Amino acid sequence: MSEDLKILDEVTNSEYKYGFVSNIESDNAPKGLDESTVRFISAKKNEPEWLLEWRLKAFRHWLTLEEPTWANVHYPKIDFQDIIYYSAPKKKPSLNSLDELDPEIKATFDKLGISLIEQQRLAGVAVDAVIDSVSVKTTFRETLGELGIIFCSFSEAVHDHPDLIKRYLGSVVPHTDNFYAALNSAVFSDGSFCYIPKGVRCPMELSTYFRINSAGTGQFERTLIIAEEGSFVSYLEGCTAPMRDENQLHAAIVEIVSHTDATVKYSTVQNWYPGDKNGKGGIYNFVTKRGICMGDRAKISWTQVETGSAITWKYPSVILKGDYSVGEFYSVAVTNNMQQADTGTKMIHLGKKTKSIIISKGISCGKSQNSYRGLVRIAKKAEHARNFSQCDSLLIGDKCGAHTFPYIEVGNKTAKVEHEATTSKVGEDQIFYCNQRGISTEDAVNLIVNGYCKEVFNQLPMEFAVEAQKLLAISLEGSVG
Amino acid sequence: MLRIKNLQASVEGKKILNGLNLEVKPGEVHAIMGPNGSGKSTLASVLAGREEYEVEGGTVQFLGNDLLDMSPEDRARAGVFLAFQYPVEIPGVSNANFLKTAVNEVRKSRNLAPMDSKEFLQIMKEKMKLVEMDKAMTQRSVNEGFSGGEKKRNEIFQMAMLEPTLAILDETDSGLDIDALRIVSNGVNALRDGNRSFIVITHYQRLLDYIVPDFVHVLYKGRIVKSGTKELALELEEKGYDWIKEEVAVGA
Ligand SMILES: Nc1ncnc2c1ncn2[C@@H]1O[C@H](COP(=O)(O)OP(=O)(O)OP(=O)(O)O)[C@@H](O)[C@H]1O
Ligand SMILES: [Mg+2]
């Protein structure tokens, strides 16, 4: 560190010491972002010194970065000083009963077939201790514990498994990766940590719902999944219920490390509030998700169903380092009304005979814009690497847009890279055919779109797939006149 | 059951149907023949409610209701079935799932509870036998990758499942091999129950050997210009359409 920086550091440090002591007790950080905010968050979470240093390094790097503009999305400039970067998870339920819930959300819950208890939980209604799922969670934790599986909040992991966190944090997505990754690294609130020991096959889907202490992970989530040699885990993120949040900006990071012969399946259903018909008030979702196949024959499979957010900026990627390792990306991205999505994947082939598959289904309705952006890079030493990409776009109506930006870089002549892309419209013919069999136009569109997404839905765990289908139906509502 | 009076319809500004009259009573089978482009499929589409076809005049009554006033799905729910000349493919949607959705929509409109899977499978099995359809077909996506003949057979299978009051078959026989023609015809005949009516559009007398019609009509330039019994079909087979065209020219 240069002398100047050192001095700067001391100054800010002392400011923190005196300026913030009393504030430590408060629940929210003041608006804005500077080093003291980072220190505040770290102190709030009782973090060890090394992690604070890690955050500060990320923050200082962030200061040198510009917000990226290459994505095919348009939104007013974000004022990063006008954001609250830390607010304590709300423990108190905000509602006394479901009757107080926004009728629109209630209707959506009902359509999704979410149980009353679950509805109460999601809506933050005070739940009677008896019907709370504490006991379920305890059994759950015991089962996992016996197998040596760690599944806990990120904050817990920092305290209970510091060695693992130190070793892997930022190892797949370094803070230098991109603007939002740097931001997240500086101010991340909480998230999930998951560790599967050598040779263990996780006997159940790990879903964030069952994570202990899962209250309010906030807008800057951080997830780290480590699968040791020969292990297997299927991880579910998100929730099909509509998620409202006062925080407009979300910038999460997910890191996955899959060792030799290990497999990690990561499924996401993202249904953040997309804003109203005019695009007002929706969530901006800037996510960095990346996994690395460290060892030979390792596998990472991303499946995502993206229906929410006003803006989605997201490219779950796989670095195929081990020989014979496999990366997969299955995606359904639906945009309606004024939504904008720029999503896709990156497959970086480093090892020999590595294989990747990309199946992307973009569906645009209303005045929305839906872009697929994908990179397939075959490094020099990746002998006989193979990729197959299929990027399909479906248009509903004529005011929306679909765009495909495939980038292919092949550094080894033995590689085989195939890319197929189609754009189609939900045909009048198809709709009329359904109508003629007694199926309403709305149901017809659902049926057709679901059929279109089948390859991706097939990758989802059963119950999740059923929910995703229902969610799709809701997202498509009003898409045809 | 069906009464079409002076029906006039156009597509993309081009007048296709020019005052068509037709009455179909319960249980009757009417064959409609006529040269290419005379408006047979257009008639079928108008009856089924296809949007591009604009009705410019005339009335259509179906079971006492104004058919033209109903949405396509309501017409279907009321019992109008169209076997398409060119059945449409719906990738990723299994035949079984498609039909289950359709059957249950129709049931819903009649205030019946949805059919459960077991019952549905049972009925599907029965009806599959009717058109000698392979079980694998029900698991495949609707019409996707089906051969021409398989698509037609699938239409009749759907008809059997939906049990319509009025079925319009638009050239269901074209593209069928001899065995398939027999199978499809048997399927149709099995559904003749004295109440269900059929409008069978065809170019070939041969079909009418299997599905024996009560009436045969010739559609030409958007009108029914000649009607008769099944002998008329034989006559057309022998003489072609020229004599009818001449008759029309003289009459005009
Ligand atoms: N969507 C359309 N756009 C433009 N013209 C159309 C359309 N549909 C039908 N036509 C025209 O209307 C006329 C009648 O067509 P229709 O399909 O009803 O004939 P058809 O009697 O069924 O003929 P075929 O025996 O060849 O099946 C034809 O000239 C056809 O080109
Ligand atoms: Mg025709």
Side-chain angles (χ1 to χ4, degrees):
Chain A
M1 205 185 288
S2 78
E3 201 58 29
D4 286 358
L5 267 178
K6 223 179 227 165
I7 294 167
L8 198 68
D9 204 30
E10 274 165 23
V11 173
T12 45
N13 235 323
S14 52
E15 241 179 32
Y16 154 66
K17 271 179 194 151
Y18 303 107
F20 263 92
V21 170
S22 57
N23 249 339
I24 288 282
E25 296 311 314
S26 87
D27 271 351
N28 293 347
K31 253 185 198 174
L33 180 55
D34 56 22
E35 288 210 2
S36 61
T37 323
V38 177
R39 289 174 191 283
F40 175 88
I41 294 168
S42 189
K44 262 286 178 195
K45 304 185 79 61
N46 222 343
E47 285 176 354
E49 187 64 24
W50 67 264
L51 190 51
L52 172 63
E53 284 308 320
W54 193 86
R55 285 178 181 271
L56 286 171
K57 207 162 142 194
F59 174 72
R60 287 172 200 138
H61 182 74
W62 179 74
L63 287 177
T64 68
L65 299 175
E66 297 272 341
E67 213 179 322
T69 52
W70 45 262
N72 189 23
V73 290
H74 305 276
Y75 52 93
K77 206 159 171 49
I78 299 169
D79 181 354
F80 289 93
Q81 295 306 332
D82 194 34
I83 291 172
I84 294 173
Y85 287 87
Y86 181 84
S87 50
K90 284 195 192 101
K91 285 197 195 84
K92 276 194 194 139
S94 41
L95 305 176
N96 292 314
S97 89
L98 274 179
D99 299 338
E100 293 171 30
L101 185 62
D102 181 346
E104 202 183 303
I105 296 188
K106 176 86 176 89
T108 313
F109 279 164
D110 291 339
K111 274 184 219 160
L112 284 166
I114 294 172
S115 74
L116 276 180
I117 296 171
E118 182 68 353
Q119 288 192 17
Q120 291 173 325
R121 191 188 70 83
L122 293 163
V125 173
V127 180
D128 192 281
V130 182
I131 54 171
D132 195 5
S133 43
V134 169
S135 57
V136 180
K137 286 179 183 174
T138 312
T139 343
F140 188 77
R141 186 173 232 186
E142 275 169 12
T143 314
L144 294 181
E146 277 162 21
L147 293 163
I149 295 169
I150 304 167
F151 184 38
C152 62
S153 75
F154 205 91
S155 311
E156 274 180 285
V158 167
H159 292 284
D160 299 346
H161 311 283
D163 295 346
L164 286 171
I165 299 285
K166 255 191 202 166
R167 179 165 162 206
Y168 288 107
L169 177 67
S171 68
V172 190
V173 181
H175 68 265
T176 48
D177 191 77
N178 69 69
F179 183 83
Y180 300 107
L183 181 64
N184 175 291
S185 301
V187 300
F188 68 88
S189 26
D190 209 333
S192 306
F193 176 73
C194 170
Y195 177 85
I196 316 291
K198 186 170 168 178
V200 170
R201 190 181 170 89
C202 185
M204 56 190 92
E205 317 277 351
L206 291 187
S207 110
T208 37
Y209 168 49
F210 281 116
R211 201 189 58 227
I212 323 298
N213 298 341
S214 65
T217 37
Q219 55 193 129
F220 300 104
E221 258 188 275
R222 185 133 198 150
T223 302
L224 177 57
I225 300 172
I226 297 144
E228 290 286 13
E229 192 176 325
S231 66
F232 172 91
V233 63
S234 168
Y235 187 93
L236 311 182
E237 175 206 273
C239 167
T240 49
M243 302 286 270
R244 285 197 191 232
D245 194 308
E246 285 131 45
N247 304 309
Q248 196 171 31
L249 176 66
H250 281 244
I253 288 183
V254 176
E255 296 181 280
I256 298 176
V257 179
S258 185
H259 287 284
T260 306
D261 289 314
T263 296
V264 178
K265 260 181 89 83
Y266 191 105
S267 313
T268 312
V269 170
Q270 185 267 114
N271 188 21
W272 292 105
Y273 182 54
D276 64 13
K277 276 215 154 67
N278 302 313
K280 251 181 94 174
I283 303 260
Y284 296 175
N285 193 26
F286 301 96
V287 191
T288 308
K289 289 186 167 176
R290 189 177 303 147
I292 182 162
C293 291
M294 277 298 235
D296 295 352
R297 295 169 303 278
K299 180 173 170 182
I300 293 174
S301 179
W302 298 101
T303 304
Q304 60 174 28
V305 177
E306 301 276 323
T307 61
S309 297
I311 294 176
T312 303
W313 182 100
K314 180 177 175 186
Y315 317 91
S317 308
V318 184
I319 300 169
L320 297 140
K321 188 161 172 265
D323 295 343
Y324 301 94
S325 59
V326 177
E328 294 178 341
F329 176 73
Y330 298 93
S331 169
V332 166
V334 186
T335 52
N336 200 349
N337 298 320
M338 302 296 283
Q339 281 177 277
Q340 306 174 53
D342 194 299
T343 183
T345 184
K346 293 182 210 167
M347 293 291 174
I348 314 291
H349 293 254
L350 304 177
K352 281 183 213 117
K353 302 225 172 168
T354 44
K355 233 164 63 176
S356 64
I357 180 161
I358 299 171
I359 307 284
S360 161
K361 307 273 179 179
I363 297 149
S364 349
C365 354
K367 293 180 184 161
S368 68
Q369 296 294 327
N370 203 329
S371 304
Y372 168 82
R373 187 181 303 276
L375 168 69
V376 176
R377 176 181 293 155
I378 313 280
K380 236 186 186 146
K381 288 187 180 146
E383 296 278 331
H384 299 288
R386 280 172 56 188
N387 161 267
F388 174 76
S389 304
Q390 167 107 33
C391 303
D392 298 328
S393 312
L394 188 68
L395 303 171
I396 301 175
D398 51 16
K399 291 194 185 72
C400 52
H403 317 270
T404 308
F405 304 99
Y407 305 91
I408 299 171
E409 297 168 12
V410 179
N412 186 301
K413 278 194 187 124
T414 60
K416 198 172 150 202
V417 176
E418 289 171 85
H419 179 89
E420 285 175 15
T422 66
T423 300
S424 49
K425 283 191 119 178
V426 169
E428 299 279 323
D429 284 0
Q430 287 175 323
I431 292 177
F432 180 67
Y433 191 72
C434 294
N435 286 160
Q436 213 303 304
R437 299 303 185 244
I439 301 169
S440 71
T441 299
E442 191 156 297
D443 290 342
V445 170
N446 273 332
L447 202 66
I448 294 163
V449 172
N450 263 304
Y452 177 79
C453 299
K454 196 174 176 185
E455 275 169 283
V456 176
F457 286 166
N458 280 347
Q459 296 296 324
L460 291 171
M462 189 60 188
E463 316 89 72
F464 225 40
V466 172
E467 283 186 41
Q469 280 182 20
K470 289 187 198 158
L471 177 60
L472 197 63
I474 290 167
S475 309
L476 292 169
E477 253 169 36
S479 61
V480 277
Chain B
M1 156 173 310
L2 180 75
R3 182 175 290 148
I4 306 175
K5 274 195 183 152
N6 193 27
L7 184 60
Q8 297 162 55
S10 64
V11 59
E12 291 184 0
K14 187 176 152 198
K15 191 118 182 230
I16 312 289
L17 298 183
N18 290 298
L20 186 142
N21 295 296
L22 180 69
E23 180 158 359
V24 180
K25 298 210 172 80
E28 288 179 351
V29 175
H30 290 245
I32 295 185
M33 306 183 80
N36 293 133
S38 58
K40 302 181 296 296
S41 293
T42 301
L43 172 64
S45 296
V46 169
L47 292 179
R50 203 175 176 123
E51 215 175 304
E52 303 99 279
Y53 294 82
E54 202 164 330
V55 176
E56 293 180 336
T59 57
V60 180
Q61 290 235 316
F62 176 66
L63 299 172
N65 297 313
D66 179 358
L67 190 72
L68 301 178
D69 202 33
M70 294 158 78
S71 70
E73 57 269 33
D74 282 341
R75 297 180 198 202
R77 291 166 190 167
V80 176
F81 180 92
L82 170 61
F84 285 65
Q85 184 173 2
Y86 305 108
V88 178
E89 301 184 359
I90 310 179
V93 179
S94 76
N95 237 342
N97 185 18
F98 176 72
L99 268 173
K100 192 160 182 228
T101 310
V103 166
N104 283 333
E105 290 266 358
V106 172
R107 288 177 67 91
K108 197 165 81 188
S109 74
R110 296 178 189 163
N111 289 321
L112 295 170
M115 213 184 263
D116 66 42
S117 295
K118 212 177 137 196
E119 194 183 349
F120 179 78
L121 282 175
Q122 186 56 41
I123 294 177
M124 205 163 70
K125 242 185 181 167
E126 272 168 43
K127 308 288 181 177
M128 261 156 43
K129 257 190 228 146
L130 206 65
V131 288
E132 299 182 23
M133 197 155 109
D134 194 65
K135 191 161 164 260
M137 299 286 274
T138 61
Q139 287 316 312
R140 284 172 61 182
S141 297
V142 179
N143 293 322
E144 196 186 30
F146 284 25
S147 75
E150 285 169 343
K151 282 182 184 170
K152 297 299 177 72
R153 206 187 284 204
N154 195 27
E155 293 291 288
I156 300 305
F157 169 58
Q158 291 185 23
M159 176 176 84
M161 287 299 293
L162 289 163
E163 304 187 320
T165 315
L166 170 70
I168 305 162
L169 314 186
D170 192 356
E171 294 198 24
T172 301
D173 55 334
S174 58
L176 292 182
D177 66 35
I178 295 160
D179 288 339
L181 183 67
R182 183 182 44 79
I183 291 164
V184 162
S185 307
N186 286 346
V188 171
N189 287 331
L191 291 169
R192 285 178 79 166
D193 62 357
N195 282 314
R196 184 169 290 131
S197 309
F198 292 85
I199 295 176
V200 179
I201 297 170
T202 184
H203 285 296
Y204 305 107
Q205 196 278 329
R206 197 182 53 194
L207 175 71
L208 305 179
D209 285 342
Y210 292 100
I211 306 172
V212 183
D214 299 301
F215 299 97
V216 174
H217 309 276
V218 178
L219 188 62
Y220 178 56
K221 289 193 173 167
R223 295 161 70 167
I224 289 184
V225 294
K226 197 161 189 77
S227 297
T229 53
K230 62 178 199 271
E231 282 70 34
L232 177 58
L234 287 167
E235 198 175 349
L236 291 169
E237 177 92 346
E238 199 179 309
K239 300 202 261 179
Y241 289 112
D242 281 352
W243 62 284
I244 289 188
K245 290 180 185 170
E246 274 161 33
E247 269 185 27
V248 171
V250 171

